């Protein structure tokens, strides 16, 4: 018996196979073309930005030179500037302040009975009690100017005589005209000192003839700041001399720095046998274009010459203390932009910023970076904001190279970077 002959397998027509292959090829082409198009058209992530170092930085002025100058003084000394709150001292102990007391007297009384700048103020009629005090001060070798009972004296005239030639009788009369008696005056001083943080300040009467009137060098310097902050007091203490009526004539300031140094803004001397020779002084000047007022306090000097020499030395040390500091340097790298394809482009300061600082002061710089797109070198990439006592400002930050898009083949080869997968 013969085996059956198998039936031939069905055959796919050749034409149908070709169509299938063409379809698959077309689909593949479409997929590849779509992917290529997607790669070519996909938006690129913005460059990643990073600040080099801390975004916010603080720059402090070095106080070492000022402290060294104060420490070099053999007697109680304080130094500082009208601006700010820092004070450098070599002693915290209260010392007799003598006629520097009159600065306190005037400030406390002006707070109780304000005097408009340039005004003569209320009139005080000189009393028999005033005349009696004048005679007592003269008997104690204190500065006083006798005038007839019944003389009309303006508030401004009393202030000028109390602060320029340091007349004890006019300082006492002024305090009495405002407060009535010594006990009320002392209570007002104590309250004023507490409110202004002058913990060491103690006054027993308004002139400084009482040796118990005392304050630390630092508190005397704080009083000087308050005095220069009052327009009336600041004007009067800056006067080397003044003309007064009643036969008194021209009176000269007891401040020995007038005529010896430029820019003297005055303030006040003090001297008794126990207190020695004292001086709170102020001198105006500038450092790198910044206007500054220096303050010096010397207490307990043995002679007038020592008081003068030490005041000059402290003021000179302050003159050299301000520091011009480069807060931002031109071309300094502030940050880096990293493009999607890994190219790092430094971001640099397009200018410079300088701050003039006195010891105790600081400047700050804060870097902020802005989102970047495609662009040439030099496009703005942020700013460094500078804050300083001598002035604020912004320094632009720019790119150092072109921010360029990666090429087509990089896009095709890096889908994860491109599409964020």
């Amino acid at each position: 018996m013969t085996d059956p002959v198998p039936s031939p397998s069905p055959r796919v027509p050749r034409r149908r196979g070709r169509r299938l292959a063409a379809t698959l090829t077309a689909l593949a082409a479409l997929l590849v073309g779509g992917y290529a198009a997607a790669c070519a058209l996909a938006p690129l992530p913005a460059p990643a930005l990073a600040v080099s170092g801390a975004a916010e930085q603080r720059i402090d002025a070095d106080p070492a030179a000022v402290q060294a100058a104060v420490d070099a003084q053999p007697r109680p000394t304080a130094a500082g500037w009208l601006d700010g709150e820092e004070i450098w001292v070599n002693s915290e102990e209260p010392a007799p302040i003598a006629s520097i007391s009159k600065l306190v007297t005037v400030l406390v009384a002006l707070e109780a009975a304000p005097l408009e700048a340039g005004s003569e103020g209320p009139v005080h009629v000189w009393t028999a009690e005033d005349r009696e005090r004048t005679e007592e001060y003269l008997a104690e070798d204190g500065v006083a100017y006798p005038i007839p009972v019944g003389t009309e004296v303006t508030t401004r005239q009393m202030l000028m005589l109390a602060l320029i030639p340091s007349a004890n009788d006019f300082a006492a009369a002024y305090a009495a005209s405002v407060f009535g008696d010594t006990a009320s005056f002392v209570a007002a001083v104590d309250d004023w000192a507490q409110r202004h943080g002058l913990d060491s300040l103690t006054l027993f009467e308004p002139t400084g003839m009482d040796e118990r009137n005392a304050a630390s060098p630092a508190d005397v310097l704080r009083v000087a700041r308050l005095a220069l902050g009052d327009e009336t007091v600041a004007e009067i203490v800056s006067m080397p001399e003044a003309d007064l009526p009643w036969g008194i004539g021209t009176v000269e300031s007891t401040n020995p720095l007038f005529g010896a140094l430029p820019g003297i803004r005055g303030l006040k001397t003090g001297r008794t046998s126990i207190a020695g020779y004292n001086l709170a002084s102020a001198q105006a000047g500038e450092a790198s274009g910044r206007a500054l007022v220096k303050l010096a306090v010397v207490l307990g000097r043995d002679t007038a010459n020592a008081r003068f020499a030490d005041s000059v030395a402290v003021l000179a040390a302050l003159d050299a203390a301000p520091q011009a500091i480069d807060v931002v340097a031109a071309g300094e790298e502030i940050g880096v932009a990293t493009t999607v394809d890994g190219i790092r482009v430094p971001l640099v300061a397009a200018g410079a910023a300088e701050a003039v600082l006195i010891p105790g002061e600081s400047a700050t710089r804060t870097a902020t970076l802005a989102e970047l797109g495609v662009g040439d070198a030099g496009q703005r990439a942020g700013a460094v904001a500078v804050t300083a006592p001598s002035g604020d400002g912004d320094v632009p930050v720019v790119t150092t190279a072109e921010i360029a898009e990666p090429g087509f083949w990089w896009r095709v080869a890096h889908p994860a970077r491109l599409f964020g997968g």
Side-chain angles (χ1 to χ4, degrees), residues 57-260:
Q57 299 179 35
R58 170 174 160 166
I59 301 95
D60 297 315
D62 186 358
V66 175
Q67 187 61 59
V70 171
D71 288 341
Q73 291 294 322
R75 297 291 177 88
T77 302
W81 282 266
L82 181 58
D83 293 339
E85 297 182 356
E86 293 291 332
I87 299 173
W88 290 267
V89 298
N90 64 1
S91 172
E92 299 285 354
E93 295 299 316
I97 59 175
S99 283
I100 292 177
S101 302
K102 296 182 176 75
L103 270 183
V104 176
T105 296
V106 169
L107 289 169
V108 174
L110 284 175
E111 182 181 85
L115 177 66
E116 184 178 349
S119 169
E120 289 295 321
V123 171
H124 172 73
V125 178
W126 208 250
T127 66
E129 185 180 4
D130 293 330
R131 178 60 185 250
E132 183 179 340
R133 277 195 296 261
T134 297
E135 292 172 352
E136 290 175 356
Y137 290 132
L138 289 172
E140 296 174 9
D141 197 27
V143 178
Y145 292 86
I147 59 174
V149 172
T151 300
E152 293 185 346
V153 186
T154 68
T155 298
R156 182 177 175 84
Q157 288 169 333
M158 286 193 287
L159 297 183
M160 292 173 70
L161 281 160
L163 295 176
I164 298 175
S166 199
N168 294 294
D169 48 353
F170 283 87
Y174 175 52
S177 73
V178 175
F179 299 105
D181 56 39
T182 301
S184 298
F185 165 75
V186 170
V189 170
D190 290 344
D191 175 67
W192 181 84
Q194 183 178 17
R195 285 185 286 110
H196 287 89
L198 305 171
D199 297 334
S200 72
L201 176 64
T202 306
L203 260 61
F204 289 85
E205 51 78 47
T207 70
M209 291 291 285
D210 191 317
E211 301 283 6
R212 295 175 296 171
N213 285 10
S216 68
D219 276 351
V220 173
L221 194 141
R222 294 185 181 100
V223 169
R225 282 179 175 153
L226 293 169
L228 292 179
D230 184 285
E231 190 174 350
T232 297
V233 179
E235 178 196 4
I236 292 174
V237 297
S238 68
M239 300 169 66
E241 61 182 27
D243 293 325
L244 278 301
W246 323 302
I248 292 177
T250 300
V251 295
E252 296 183 349
S253 173
T254 56
N255 189 332
L257 300 182
F258 280 120

Side-chain angles (χ1 to χ4, degrees), residues 227-385:
L228 292 179
D230 184 285
E231 190 174 350
T232 297
V233 179
E235 178 196 4
I236 292 174
V237 297
S238 68
M239 300 169 66
E241 61 182 27
D243 293 325
L244 278 301
W246 323 302
I248 292 177
T250 300
V251 295
E252 296 183 349
S253 173
T254 56
N255 189 332
L257 300 182
F258 280 120
L261 295 177
I264 293 299
R265 295 272 297 272
L267 289 184
K268 194 70 189 72
T269 59
R271 179 186 68 84
T272 65
S273 58
I274 293 178
Y277 290 81
N278 301 334
L279 176 59
S281 58
Q283 184 184 22
E286 68 170 39
S288 298
R290 180 183 174 188
L292 294 169
V293 176
K294 301 172 290 180
L295 301 175
V297 172
V298 298
L299 303 177
R301 270 45 181 185
D302 292 331
T303 65
N305 286 340
R307 172 176 66 183
F308 175 85
D310 290 349
S311 296
V312 170
V314 174
L315 291 171
L318 293 177
D319 206 31
Q323 301 160 32
I325 296 174
D326 290 329
V327 182
V328 181
E332 177 185 352
E333 183 179 295
I334 305 300
V336 173
T338 304
T339 62
V340 68
D341 54 345
I343 303 299
R344 291 168 53 85
V345 178
L347 310 177
V348 302
E354 182 183 82
V356 178
L357 303 178
I358 56 178
E361 290 183 338
S362 301
T364 60
R365 50 176 276 179
T366 304
T368 55
L369 302 178
E371 185 172 309
L372 291 169
V374 175
D376 294 333
Q379 68 170 304
R380 178 136 181 164
V384 180

